[in-house]
Amino acid sequence: MKILAIETSCDETAASVVENGSQVLSDVIYSQIPVHNKYGGVVPEIASRCHLQAIVPVVGKAVADAGLEFKEIDAVAVANGPGLIGSLLVGVSYAKALAQALNKPLIPVNHWQGHISAVFIDWQPQYPFLALVVSGSHSGVVEVLARDSFHLLGQSRDDAAGEAFDKIARALGLGYPGGPAISLAAEKGDKEKYAFPRAKMEGYDLSFSGLKSAVLNHLNREKMQGRKISEQDVCDIAASAQEAICDILSAKAVSAANEHGITRLTLCGGVAANKRLRELLAERFTGELHYPSAHFCTDNAVMIGIAAYDLFLAGQTADLSLNASARLPLYF
Ligand code: KG4
Ligand code: ZN
């Protein structure tokens, strides 16, 4: 079964053809990073306009790269939330029209389930496992009981982990996206230099806004006292902030897994590309640890195509009343 998958939830216009939930026939990503870079973050209105311009060529290329014609596609899948509503609507509207024109099933996919499914590219899943989902828009700990059964154990009450990376990077003048920029600067910094706070949240919830504010307050204080932030200061702050974020995430994921007797942990979403986070998890978790290659950590349509196959087998298709939802919950 060849599924054409579409992903437009944030600032990547992506399309892919995946056969039987595992064979990647094409993988096209048009990234808007250069467009948003000068604003230090994604501008939602600009993102949806860019998706509008890119969606037709991106989908056309995905079908052509797979060596197919549109009529050979068996189903159309689309991420319908959570994400930026204007961006999601472009993908959802396009997918609905295409499914209708081709007279093929339409499969809506939750973006979180997509991220969780990205790890199946390199790993034949065994259940249950615990997924730490960490990206620019969401951070949470999910117990995955079966391919189509998820239990959200906790999530961020405020900023997502990636958002904290992005906002701290912007304040440090490191540009967007902040995660890779902070990681790079951190290589030359001292991670012990600043003890930025780790919020103690109940259960498996997370919080990053206090940590972000602590970094911003530190920078403002230095500025008000007329002190110049040197290149070395930037690296030390980057390393200390990265350490705090990765410490919070790894401690929470490991305690959630241990307390639930789960021996397999997966890491997914853009922040999963972070080397220090992977290192800390490897140090702290005694069970199996799996994560996708860096390319499949960040937004892509392959992960949507993989998840869509499972949803299709479970009969989870939609009709033309399908809508996008900025806050679509992950529940089953
Ligand atoms: O999954 P993703 O592509 O989009 C969302 O669903 O949000 O994640 C993007 C986020 C951005 O916040 C970016 O700064 C972060 O992932 N990111 C990283 C790294 N690479 C990307 N964060 C930390 N370390 C990285 N190496
Ligand atoms: Zn994402």
Side-chain angles (χ1 to χ4, degrees):
M1 178 174 184
K2 298 181 191 75
I3 297 180
L4 168 64
I6 297 171
E7 157 63 49
T8 63
S9 66
C10 189
D11 60 340
E12 265 93 27
T13 316
S16 158
V17 180
V18 182
E19 189 166 7
N20 297 334
S22 59
Q23 216 188 324
V24 180
L25 302 188
S26 64
D27 173 16
V28 180
I29 302 177
Y30 163 70
S31 172
Q32 303 174 10
I33 286 174
V35 179
H36 298 288
N37 193 299
K38 60 174 172 284
Y39 304 105
V42 178
V43 182
E45 181 58 32
I46 296 177
S48 29
R49 287 176 198 210
C50 289
H51 284 305
L52 267 179
Q53 287 171 335
I55 188 92
V56 173
V58 164
V59 173
K61 182 163 166 43
V63 174
D65 284 1
L68 300 172
E69 291 185 29
F70 274 96
K71 60 177 189 274
E72 294 172 284
I73 297 295
D74 298 306
V76 179
V78 65
N80 69 317
L84 300 173
I85 191 66
S87 292
L88 287 164
L89 276 169
V90 177
V92 169
S93 310
Y94 183 92
K96 277 162 66 171
L98 187 61
Q100 170 82 348
L102 298 174
N103 196 21
K104 299 291 178 190
L106 173 67
I107 311 165
V109 179
N110 182 298
H111 185 78
W112 279 53
Q113 187 177 351
H115 274 304
I116 292 169
S117 305
V119 76
F120 304 158
I121 295 167
D122 303 310
W123 177 55
Q124 191 66 33
Q126 288 170 283
Y127 301 93
F129 67 85
L130 196 98
L132 175 63
V133 188
V134 272
S135 78
S137 44
H138 32 257
S139 297
V141 182
V142 180
E143 188 182 12
V144 186
L145 301 162
R147 264 190 116 102
D148 59 352
S149 175
F150 304 90
H151 179 209
L152 182 63
L153 295 179
Q155 61 184 322
S156 178
R157 296 280 188 96
D158 39 60
D159 294 353
E163 196 179 346
F165 271 111
D166 293 339
K167 288 182 175 161
I168 292 170
R170 183 164 61 185
L172 290 172
L174 292 173
Y176 174 83
I182 294 234
S183 252
L184 195 66
E187 282 174 18
K188 289 176 264 157
D190 174 4
K191 61 180 169 29
E192 319 280 341
K193 179 85 186 270
Y194 300 97
F196 292 127
R198 279 81 160 147
K200 299 231 176 328
M201 303 296 289
E202 270 194 27
Y204 305 110
D205 278 346
L206 298 153
S207 165
F208 296 100
S209 72
L211 161 61
K212 173 196 70 186
S213 301
V215 177
L216 302 189
N217 290 344
H218 170 76
L219 290 170
N220 287 338
R221 235 183 351 260
E222 293 295 291
K223 241 186 247 164
M224 275 165 57
Q225 290 172 1
R227 282 200 285 270
K228 211 174 165 312
I229 310 284
S230 70
E231 257 178 56
Q232 188 56 49
D233 292 333
V234 168
C235 294
D236 292 341
I237 294 169
S240 304
Q242 171 176 264
E243 190 64 14
I245 296 173
C246 296
D247 181 27
I248 294 169
L249 288 171
S250 55
K252 201 58 106 169
V254 170
S255 66
N258 290 343
E259 284 160 22
H260 284 76
I262 298 175
T263 57
R264 303 170 197 102
L265 180 61
T266 70
L267 182 59
C268 45
V271 180
N274 187 277
K275 279 200 207 121
R276 182 62 186 145
L277 178 58
R278 291 177 178 200
E279 244 171 53
L280 276 178
L281 281 169
E283 270 170 31
R284 294 174 173 181
F285 189 59
T286 51
E288 284 174 40
L289 184 60
H290 300 276
Y291 38 78
S293 65
H295 172 80
F296 290 114
C297 287
T298 45
D299 287 349
N300 64 86
V302 170
M303 66 187 199
I304 303 299
I306 296 171
Y309 184 63
D310 293 330
L311 290 163
F312 180 78
L313 294 181
Q316 310 248 349
T317 56
D319 60 24
L320 291 185
S321 65
L322 178 70
N323 209 347
S325 165
R327 298 184 159 268
L328 190 69
L330 180 69
Y331 57 80
F332 289 88

